[in-house]
Amino acid sequence: MKTIKVALAGQPNVGKSSIINSMTGARLHVGNFSGVTVEKKEVFIEKEGYEIEIVDLPGIYSLNAYTPEEHVAKKFLFEEDYDLIVNVVDANTLSRNLIFTMQLMDMQKKMILVVNMIDEVEKQGGKVDKEKLEELLGIPVILTSAKEQRGVDQIIDQVIATYEEPKPKNKLYYDERIEEQIEKIVKILHKSPHFKDADYARFIAIRLLDRDEDIYKIIHDLPIFIELHELLGKIYRELELEFDEESTSDILSDERYALSKALVMEALKSPPKKVTLTD
Ligand code: GDP
Ligand code: K
């Protein structure tokens, strides 16, 4: 039997627990993440000759990880071996949720997007365009309502399909001026045996632009550090001046925010707005 290991990631309250609890044939195991008193829920499902092992990560708003729970989720996503990410988002707050989705997509891992709570969007006359989202993001999308038990078992079918398929091509690119700088960072990263893989190097370069202190600590001890540190200083100054922002982290946030807005404009059909007059 083949084992598929899945990291289940999403912001708090998007319905991850509800989804896990309504999966058919799931065996649930509750423990702790090693070394910390943060609850670790694991789900085991057998289907079509596969054993699927899903680790429910603590709710996390951003890879910049501020709380201890977020740090546990980040550590797992960065360090553990798993085959793919299932990212659950709340359809009601799609635009805000997709900002984190984009940070996850930067990891260049296989990924499935689950848009949960579609019952609430539909109740208000809205509609999420699954095909459009898939086309724009370049990853599979499943619409679910854990409350109404809709779509949940499709997640497992998609996990198996995505596991067997080759990884889709990256569709998430930033402003050209940022991409140019990412390339420069990647070139130096490639000089180190740790960052030979192109996808991984790109991810690390983006995290460095996002001012990720955990990543900075890792590169600190490498022989390429001095060269990288000098280049980063220069890039930070250049981009901050060019985009008139205080930090390259803010620049990336703005980029993701704008992209996410644009995605939602195309993929979420809201009910027609009533005309309201100001007093
Ligand atoms: P988690 O923090 O991601 O594990 O979220 P929970 O599973 O605890 O869900 C948060 C809240 O949303 C709970 O009150 C759930 O009952 C509710 N909820 C979860 N999924 C759905 C859904 O598909 N539709 C609706 N309307 N509510 C949901
Ligand atoms: K809710």
Side-chain angles (χ1 to χ4, degrees):
M1 187 141 42
K2 278 194 209 169
T3 303
I4 309 176
K5 201 162 172 185
V6 178
L8 188 66
Q11 303 195 354
N13 293 314
V14 293
K16 286 195 292 117
S17 311
S18 308
I19 284 174
I20 277 182
N21 290 332
S22 58
M23 277 176 172
T24 308
R27 282 184 293 123
L28 194 66
H29 176 264
V30 182
N32 279 325
F33 284 93
S34 63
V36 283
T37 54
V38 175
E39 190 184 79
K40 181 182 189 184
K41 249 187 282 174
E42 285 170 292
V43 178
F44 301 89
I45 294 174
E46 278 177 31
K47 193 164 186 178
E48 292 162 14
Y50 294 89
E51 173 158 79
I52 296 129
E53 181 186 337
I54 304 171
V55 179
D56 183 18
L57 300 179
I60 175 169
Y61 285 105
S62 133
L63 285 187
N64 303 57
Y66 300 107
T67 69
E69 285 77 16
E70 282 187 311
H71 202 77
V72 167
K74 176 177 177 180
K75 206 169 156 57
F76 188 95
L77 285 166
F78 281 29
E79 294 175 2
E80 292 290 324
D81 274 327
Y82 53 87
D83 297 297
L84 55 106
I85 299 172
V86 171
N87 172 216
V88 182
V89 295
D90 177 350
N92 296 298
T93 51
L94 194 55
S95 155
R96 181 148 44 86
N97 274 250
L98 284 177
I99 294 173
F100 176 55
T101 300
M102 287 173 192
Q103 279 195 329
L104 286 176
M105 285 178 69
D106 284 338
M107 298 190 78
Q108 320 286 331
K109 302 249 187 194
K110 284 185 177 180
M111 190 163 137
I112 297 166
L113 181 69
V114 173
V115 182
N116 189 39
M117 309 219 193
I118 50 157
D119 58 295
E120 295 198 339
V121 169
E122 287 170 359
K123 210 166 60 195
Q124 289 153 25
K127 192 178 179 306
V128 179
D129 188 338
K130 166 184 143 83
E131 282 74 26
K132 194 83 207 172
L133 261 185
E134 286 182 332
E135 179 200 322
L136 294 171
L137 289 169
I139 60 174
V141 174
I142 313 270
L143 306 181
T144 62
S145 163
K147 188 184 169 192
E148 297 177 351
Q149 303 262 349
R150 287 160 57 195
V152 173
D153 288 328
Q154 283 173 34
I155 298 172
I156 296 302
D157 296 333
Q158 187 60 57
V159 162
I160 296 171
T162 298
Y163 175 80
E164 292 295 350
E165 285 159 11
K167 193 170 70 177
K169 226 177 119 18
N170 176 31
K171 274 207 163 183
L172 178 58
Y173 288 101
Y174 295 95
D175 185 288
E176 247 174 61
R177 291 167 291 176
I178 299 169
E179 288 295 335
E180 262 171 43
Q181 307 297 353
I182 291 174
E183 262 177 49
K184 284 187 203 160
I185 301 170
V186 164
K187 257 199 196 130
I188 296 185
L189 286 171
H190 274 335
K191 293 183 185 176
S192 163
H194 302 283
F195 306 114
K196 285 284 178 235
D197 180 78
D199 284 347
Y200 186 53
R202 176 179 168 82
F203 170 58
I204 296 296
I206 295 171
R207 292 312 307 147
L208 287 169
L209 283 181
D210 218 344
R211 302 293 184 98
D212 190 319
E213 301 209 349
D214 295 313
I215 299 297
Y216 212 81
K217 277 180 207 147
I218 295 172
I219 63 159
H220 196 268
D221 300 326
L222 300 177
I224 55 168
F225 177 72
I226 295 178
E227 195 183 350
L228 199 52
H229 180 74
E230 257 175 41
L231 176 73
L232 284 172
K234 192 164 157 280
I235 289 176
Y236 293 155
R237 281 192 301 276
E238 270 180 34
L239 286 177
E240 283 155 16
L241 204 68
E242 205 161 344
F243 285 82
D244 193 22
E245 287 282 359
E246 245 166 61
S247 149
T248 47
S249 178
D250 296 337
I251 300 171
L252 287 184
S253 295
D254 291 350
E255 284 274 302
R256 293 188 188 109
Y257 182 79
L259 269 170
S260 153
K261 277 250 156 168
L263 279 172
V264 169
M265 283 274 275
E266 290 215 43
L268 181 73
K269 305 275 170 287
S270 303
K273 272 208 167 65
K274 290 201 186 87
V275 178
T276 51
L277 304 178
T278 45
D279 298 323

